[in-house]
């Protein structure tokens, strides 16, 4: 049991990676759609490149979205409109009019025959209007059917909508019955009574109309034919268009949406698992071979896997809601984030693997993969310094433009013209670009969650007004000036060999902070001829000098500097000797000396950036000791230092080539000559 626990503790990092790998594969497979995948790729207007294809099973030909929308519009335009006929209103209106007309004619001096005639005309007007119905003004404006359905009690009657009476038609009817003006006194009275008392009795029944419309819409047929098993669908070389395109799209949809049996479902999940596992295995192998320092850091590996899962989750949610919005998701933030924390190569490699996985989720996967990979490459190529906001904004505009051009080209290829372009996608690409700008706050959040450091944080740390750098300038001004000079040399060198210039500059500013604890023991801070090392043995002096690395690491951790900066403090002397005091000890003893007392603890540089700092630090410090620097002396100094570090095996773990070392030497020679150039002697 004890051996098992010890074995677990020794291999806990590898076990954690295995656990993370399995969990990530499980989550991604869980997010994948579990339907079948149609194994043939085809495009409208292109030849069928496979063998003659026959229907594998019976299936219906699905209508297109446009055809379904057209059917719905037709149903909406022809669906019945229902109106209620209120009989109670008719009874009340008749009673009121009869009463008022009777009172008006009771004491009149006209003949009985004339009275009967006026009463008869009044009844004719009322009966004529309410035989069809009087529609109220608000509902009259909604009449948009030639025939409507009126509900009278339990009876349903269809009538022409033009026969319904409104106020205008009622005026015309009254004039037609009573005669044209001038009207007699009593005809005018009856006209006034009618216009005052006639009330609408036909009202729109929205509930019944909507219910009828819903029933009709539910009966829409989404298919337009049937294809029988073994029926020939398309021949090799046939153009995919018209009915053939409709049948192929229907078959593809059937493959992706049909209900699978338990055995088929398990096989699909098994297939997905293998493909996803392979993708993440490639990512781990890439880290193991080319980014060992990242592979050995479980936090960084977790961060990379987390970002991949996050992108897959976002795309899955959008596809489930509405796949047409898939291009709004700013998945180019993935290479941006990884580039900010690591490097462009890792960012692009991870991004390509992620996009390939997304091809199983999105529709039109070939178009999606092509557009997104092109956008990812442009992202990596254009954004060199993410911490510069103007650079980010310009790059986002370029990415959006590439989306536009690539999509336009795809549409023209598929349709054969530019008439069928979905212009809404250009809006989606613009929204994608806008969302990409939020990568800076996203990076800040990730920094806090995972304890990583980005170029944006490096920019803040490199500010010389930073508390720790101000303290260095006050306590060890010579060391501070030395650090600034090294930072300038290192930044120029990093730019020439395409290393992370912001990282190496920041590391250079902090690499000697340990000296501020004993500043007078370092020559650059000694303002007088008094040297405290004169009172010490070479071993004690060497110990103080070596301790500035250890004290610097402690000070950096106390002030919460990120590990990427502490790496520069830890490695800037590698495992070299404190040569001056080593030689003093050797001279004093006249023979063999134990080098362990005079050797820095290391480790040696393990990246291009830390190697650059080691070279620049040694060259700058050595150049200060030259009494009469000349071009030849400076060249020889740079060559001597780099060769000595190479022979000492200081660059064995650094990802740096001989060509890059030669480039760095050229930069340093040029910069040192500019620093130590001779001036003309001014007259007194």
């Amino acid at each position: 049991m004890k051996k098992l626990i010890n074995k677990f503790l020794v291999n806990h990092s590898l076990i954690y990676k295995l656990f993370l790998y399995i969990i990530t594969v499980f989550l991604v497979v869980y997010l994948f759609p579990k339907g079948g995948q149609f194994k043939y790729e085809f495009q409208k207007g292109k030849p069928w490149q496979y063998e003659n294809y026959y229907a594998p099973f019976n299936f219906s030909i699905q209508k297109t979205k446009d055809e379904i929308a057209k059917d719905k519009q037709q149903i909406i335009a022809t669906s019945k409109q229902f109106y209620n006929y209120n009989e109670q209103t008719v009874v009340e209106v008749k009673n009121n009019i009869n009463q008022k007309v009777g009172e008006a004619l009771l004491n009149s001096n006209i003949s009985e025959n004339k009275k009967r005639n006026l009463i008869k005309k009044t009844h004719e007007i009322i009966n004529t209007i309410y035989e069809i119905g009087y529609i109220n003004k608000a509902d009259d404006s909604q009449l948009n059917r030639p025939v409507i359905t009126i509900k009278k009690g339990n009876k349903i009657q269809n009538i022409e909508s033009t026969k319904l009476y409104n106020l205008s038609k009622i005026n015309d009817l009254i004039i037609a019955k009573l005669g044209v003006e001038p009207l007699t006194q009593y005809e005018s009275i009856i006209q006034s009574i009618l216009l005052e008392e006639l009330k609408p009795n036909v009202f729109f029944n929205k509930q019944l109309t909507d219910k009828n419309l819903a029933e009709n819409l539910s009966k829409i047929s989404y298919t337009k034919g049937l294809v029988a098993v073994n029926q020939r669908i398309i021949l090799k070389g046939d153009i995919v268009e018209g009915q053939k395109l409709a049948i192929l799209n229907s078959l593809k949809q059937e493959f992706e949406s049909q209900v699978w049996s338990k055995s088929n479902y398990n096989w699909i999940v098994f297939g997905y698992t293998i493909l996803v596992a392979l993708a993440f295995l490639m990512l781990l192998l890439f880290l193991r071979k080319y980014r060992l320092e990242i592979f050995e850091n479980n936090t960084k590996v977790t961060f990379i896997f987390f970002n991949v899962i996050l992108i897959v989750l976002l795309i899955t949610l959008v596809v489930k809601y509405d796949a047409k919005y898939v291009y709004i998701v700013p998945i180019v933030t993935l290479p941006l984030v990884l580039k900010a924390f690591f490097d462009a190569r890792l960012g692009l490699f991870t991004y390509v693997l992620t996009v390939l996985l997304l091809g199983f989720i999105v529709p039109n996967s070939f178009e999606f993969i092509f557009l997104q990979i092109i956008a990812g490459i442009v992202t990596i190529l254009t954004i060199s310094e993410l911490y510069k906001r103007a650079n980010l904004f310009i790059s986002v505009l370029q990415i959006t433009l590439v989306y536009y051009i690539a999509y336009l080209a795809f549409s023209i290829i598929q349709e054969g013209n530019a008439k069928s372009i979905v212009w809404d996608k250009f809006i989606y690409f613009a929204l994608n670009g806008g969302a990409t700008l939020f990568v800076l706050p996203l990076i800040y959040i990730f920094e806090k969650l995972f304890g990583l450091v980005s170029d944006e944080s490096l920019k803040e740390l490199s500010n010389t007004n930073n508390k720790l750098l101000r303290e260095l300038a006050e306590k060890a001004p010579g060391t501070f000036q030395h650090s600034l000079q090294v930072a300038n040399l290192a930044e120029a060198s990093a730019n020439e060999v395409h290393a992370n210039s912001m990282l190496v500059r920041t590391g250079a500013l902090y690499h000697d902070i340990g000296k501020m604890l004993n500043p007078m023991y370092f020559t650059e801070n000694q303002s007088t001829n008094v040297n405290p090392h004169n009172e010490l043995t070479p071993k004690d002096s060497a110990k103080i000098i070596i301790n500035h690395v250890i004290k610097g690491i402690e000070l950096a951790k106390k002030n919460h500097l990120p590990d990427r900066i502490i790496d520069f403090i830890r490695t800037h002397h590698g495992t070299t000797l404190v040569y001056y005091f080593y030689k003093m000890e050797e001279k004093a003893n006249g023979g063999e000396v134990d080098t362990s007392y005079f050797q820095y603890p290391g480790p040696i540089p393990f990246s291009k950036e830390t190697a650059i700092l080691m070279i620049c630090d040694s060259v700058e410090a050595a150049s200060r000791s030259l009494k009469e620097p000349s071009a030849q002396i400076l060249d020889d100094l740079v060559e001597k230092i780099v060769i000595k570090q190479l022979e000492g095996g200081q660059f064995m773990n650094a990802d740096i080539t001989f060509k890059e070392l030669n480039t760095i030497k050229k930069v340093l020679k040029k910069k040192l000559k500019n620093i130590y150039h001779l001036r003309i002697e001014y007259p007194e």
Side-chain angles (χ1 to χ4, degrees):
M1 185 66 181
K2 190 175 181 180
K3 287 183 178 180
L4 185 64
I5 294 172
N6 288 335
K7 197 170 184 180
F8 175 81
L9 292 174
V10 170
N11 298 296
H12 74 280
S13 180
L14 191 60
I15 293 170
Y16 173 81
K17 289 183 183 67
L18 180 62
F19 175 75
L20 178 67
Y21 174 75
I22 293 171
I23 290 295
T24 304
V25 171
F26 172 79
L27 286 174
V28 172
V29 171
Y30 175 77
L31 292 171
F32 274 10
K34 302 305 185 295
Q37 290 285 336
F38 192 53
K39 61 182 179 180
Y40 300 108
E41 286 284 342
F42 58 89
Q43 292 182 13
K44 181 182 177 182
K46 296 293 180 182
W48 179 257
Q49 298 177 348
Y50 310 99
E51 296 300 321
N52 299 349
Y53 190 57
Y54 298 86
F57 45 74
N58 296 327
F59 65 93
S60 299
I61 304 172
Q62 303 293 322
K63 290 181 180 178
T64 65
K65 290 183 178 179
D66 290 340
E67 288 173 331
I68 294 170
K70 188 176 179 181
D71 288 348
K72 287 183 177 179
Q73 289 297 327
Q74 180 67 21
I75 289 173
I76 291 170
T78 58
S79 184
K80 288 182 178 181
Q81 280 190 330
F82 286 85
Y83 287 79
N84 289 335
Y85 184 96
N86 192 327
E87 295 181 348
Q88 182 63 33
T89 300
V90 178
V91 173
E92 292 174 359
V93 168
K94 284 183 177 180
N95 290 337
N96 291 339
I97 291 175
N98 287 336
Q99 181 181 348
K100 289 191 176 182
V101 169
E103 291 175 355
L105 298 178
L106 181 62
N107 298 319
S108 64
N109 54 4
I110 60 175
S111 64
E112 290 297 324
N113 188 38
K114 187 68 173 176
K115 287 181 183 180
R116 284 194 296 273
N117 188 36
L118 287 173
I119 292 172
K120 180 183 177 184
K121 287 181 179 181
T122 302
H123 288 164
E124 287 176 356
I125 291 170
I126 296 171
N127 291 334
T128 301
I129 291 171
Y130 288 115
E131 182 180 358
I132 304 298
Y134 177 10
I135 189 168
N136 72 327
K137 186 177 181 180
D139 293 334
D140 184 33
S141 61
Q142 296 188 37
L143 277 175
N144 55 11
R145 301 282 192 281
V147 176
I148 63 169
T149 303
I150 291 184
K151 186 173 179 289
K152 280 187 180 182
N154 295 325
K155 294 181 181 180
I156 297 292
Q157 178 184 3
N158 292 329
I159 65 166
E160 296 178 18
S161 59
T162 54
K163 290 184 177 180
L164 281 173
Y165 280 90
N166 55 26
L167 188 58
S168 175
K169 288 183 179 180
I170 288 172
N171 273 324
D172 294 340
L173 178 64
I174 291 172
I175 291 171
K177 290 292 183 180
L178 296 179
V180 296
E181 295 183 354
L183 300 175
T184 64
Q185 176 187 355
Y186 293 103
E187 285 176 339
S188 296
I189 291 172
I190 290 173
Q191 182 186 37
S192 299
I193 292 171
L194 287 170
L195 292 174
E196 183 182 343
E197 295 297 330
L198 287 171
K199 306 292 181 187
N201 75 316
V202 174
F203 302 93
F204 180 59
N205 189 329
K206 188 176 187 305
Q207 183 179 358
L208 195 56
T209 301
D210 290 347
K211 181 181 178 182
N212 180 69
L213 177 61
E215 288 177 358
N216 291 337
L217 289 174
S218 67
K219 296 175 184 176
I220 287 179
S221 174
Y222 291 88
T223 62
K224 56 179 180 180
L226 183 68
V227 177
V229 63
N230 294 326
Q231 180 179 330
R232 189 179 69 196
I233 294 175
I234 193 168
L235 296 174
K236 183 177 181 180
D238 282 356
I239 303 300
V240 180
E241 60 183 0
Q243 183 72 356
K244 293 173 184 175
L245 177 62
I247 293 173
L248 286 171
N249 281 328
S250 299
L251 181 57
K252 182 179 179 181
Q253 187 176 340
E254 189 71 21
F255 261 104
E256 293 173 351
S257 64
Q258 65 179 233
V259 179
W260 294 84
S261 66
K262 185 176 181 181
S263 60
N264 282 338
Y265 176 87
N266 292 336
W267 277 110
I268 291 169
V269 171
F270 178 68
Y272 275 147
T273 303
I274 291 175
L275 293 175
V276 175
L278 279 173
F280 282 103
L281 180 61
M282 295 304 103
L283 181 54
L284 284 174
L285 291 176
F286 176 87
L287 295 174
R288 178 68 179 82
K289 185 171 178 63
Y290 298 106
R291 299 293 183 273
L292 186 60
E293 72 278 7
I294 296 175
F295 179 80
E296 292 175 347
N297 189 316
N298 285 338
T299 301
K300 292 178 179 179
V301 175
T302 304
F303 174 71
I304 294 169
F305 278 41
F306 171 81
N307 276 275
V308 175
I309 294 172
L310 183 62
I311 294 296
V312 174
L313 176 62
L314 285 174
I315 291 292
T316 303
L317 293 175
V318 171
V319 169
K320 284 184 177 180
Y321 176 72
D322 194 334
K324 71 180 182 181
Y325 297 122
V326 74
Y327 285 110
I328 296 179
V329 181
I331 67 173
V332 292
T333 55
L334 177 62
L336 285 178
V337 168
L338 295 182
K339 184 179 180 182
F341 288 106
F342 308 115
D343 61 83
R345 188 178 176 189
L346 173 59
L348 185 59
F349 186 86
T350 307
Y351 177 75
V352 170
L353 285 178
T354 305
V355 170
L356 291 175
L357 291 176
L358 295 176
F360 293 107
I361 302 174
V362 300
N364 300 321
S365 56
F366 178 75
E367 175 187 309
F368 178 85
I369 290 172
F370 184 88
L371 287 177
Q372 298 296 3
I373 288 180
I374 290 294
I377 293 171
V378 172
T379 302
I380 291 295
L381 293 177
T382 58
I383 300 184
S384 56
E385 295 173 318
L386 187 61
Y387 59 87
K388 293 183 179 179
R389 286 171 293 182
N391 191 328
L392 175 61
F393 184 76
I394 293 169
S395 296
V396 166
L397 289 179
Q398 292 173 329
I399 294 164
T400 306
L401 181 62
V402 167
Y403 270 130
Y404 285 169
I405 295 170
Y407 171 69
L408 189 64
F410 254 105
S411 297
I412 292 172
I413 290 170
Q414 291 175 351
E415 303 294 336
N417 56 62
K419 295 179 181 178
S420 301
I421 292 173
V422 181
W423 296 104
D424 286 353
K425 284 194 176 179
F426 288 89
I427 299 174
Y428 301 155
F429 292 138
L431 293 173
N432 183 306
T436 304
L437 293 173
F438 286 94
V439 69
L440 291 180
L442 185 65
I443 288 171
Y444 177 78
I445 293 169
F446 284 151
E447 284 181 334
K448 299 304 178 185
L449 286 176
F450 292 91
L452 301 173
V453 60
S454 68
D455 286 351
E456 184 67 21
S457 293
L458 292 175
K459 181 185 176 184
E460 295 176 8
L461 288 170
S462 64
N463 188 338
T464 53
N465 285 321
N466 187 285
K467 178 186 174 184
L468 199 56
L469 293 179
R470 283 205 318 270
E471 190 177 350
L472 177 64
E474 291 169 3
K475 293 182 177 180
T479 300
F480 179 71
Q481 291 302 319
H482 161 72
S483 298
L484 285 176
Q485 201 71 270
V486 172
N488 292 332
L489 293 173
E491 183 178 24
S493 301
N495 282 327
E496 289 298 318
V497 296
H498 307 292
N500 190 331
S501 59
M502 178 57 70
L503 175 62
V504 74
R505 177 177 180 81
T506 310
L509 290 172
Y510 289 91
H511 79 283
D512 270 345
I513 57 173
K515 290 182 178 180
M516 75 169 76
L517 300 177
N518 289 304
M520 296 308 296
Y521 285 89
F522 300 91
T523 55
E524 66 266 23
N525 299 310
Q526 294 169 1
S527 57
T528 64
N529 292 327
V530 178
N531 189 339
H533 288 289
N534 295 335
E535 308 296 326
L536 302 173
T537 65
K539 285 184 180 180
D540 291 336
S541 293
K543 184 178 180 182
I544 292 172
I545 299 298
I546 291 170
N547 275 347
H548 90 273
V549 173
I550 299 167
K551 296 295 182 182
I553 294 170
E554 293 173 354
L555 196 59
K557 288 183 176 179
K558 182 180 178 181
N559 285 272
H560 308 292
L561 289 183
D563 288 340
R564 291 176 80 185
I565 303 304
I566 296 174
D567 288 340
F568 287 92
I569 302 172
R570 188 181 289 116
T571 62
H572 75 279
H573 284 296
T575 55
T576 59
L577 295 175
V578 185
Y579 198 69
Y580 179 82
F581 292 110
Y582 170 75
K583 281 296 182 182
M584 284 184 64
E585 180 71 10
E586 190 177 56
K587 185 178 179 181
N589 291 341
E592 291 290 329
V593 176
D594 186 358
T595 57
S596 62
Y597 289 101
F598 301 91
Q599 189 174 33
Y600 284 98
I604 60 176
F606 49 79
S607 68
K608 192 181 296 185
E609 288 78 12
T610 51
I612 290 170
L613 177 63
M614 170 181 270
I615 296 169
C616 294
D617 179 46
S618 300
V619 167
E620 203 284 332
S623 68
R624 287 174 177 264
S625 66
L626 299 175
K627 294 181 180 179
E628 294 182 2
S630 65
Q632 187 59 48
I633 291 174
L634 291 171
D635 287 352
D636 292 343
L637 176 70
V638 172
E639 291 288 344
K640 181 181 176 182
I641 288 173
V642 174
I643 289 172
K644 189 175 180 181
Q645 289 173 340
L646 267 172
E647 291 175 348
Q650 299 302 311
F651 305 137
M652 289 178 63
N653 294 339
D655 181 22
I656 194 166
T657 64
F658 283 110
K659 182 179 179 181
E660 289 170 336
L661 285 174
N662 284 329
T663 302
I664 292 168
K665 287 190 289 185
K666 288 178 183 178
V667 172
L668 292 176
K669 290 173 184 178
K670 182 180 178 182
K671 289 287 182 182
L672 288 175
K673 288 171 187 175
N674 290 336
I675 293 170
Y676 294 105
H677 71 285
L678 295 175
R679 296 179 180 271
I680 61 170
E681 186 176 345
Y682 287 91
E684 294 183 4

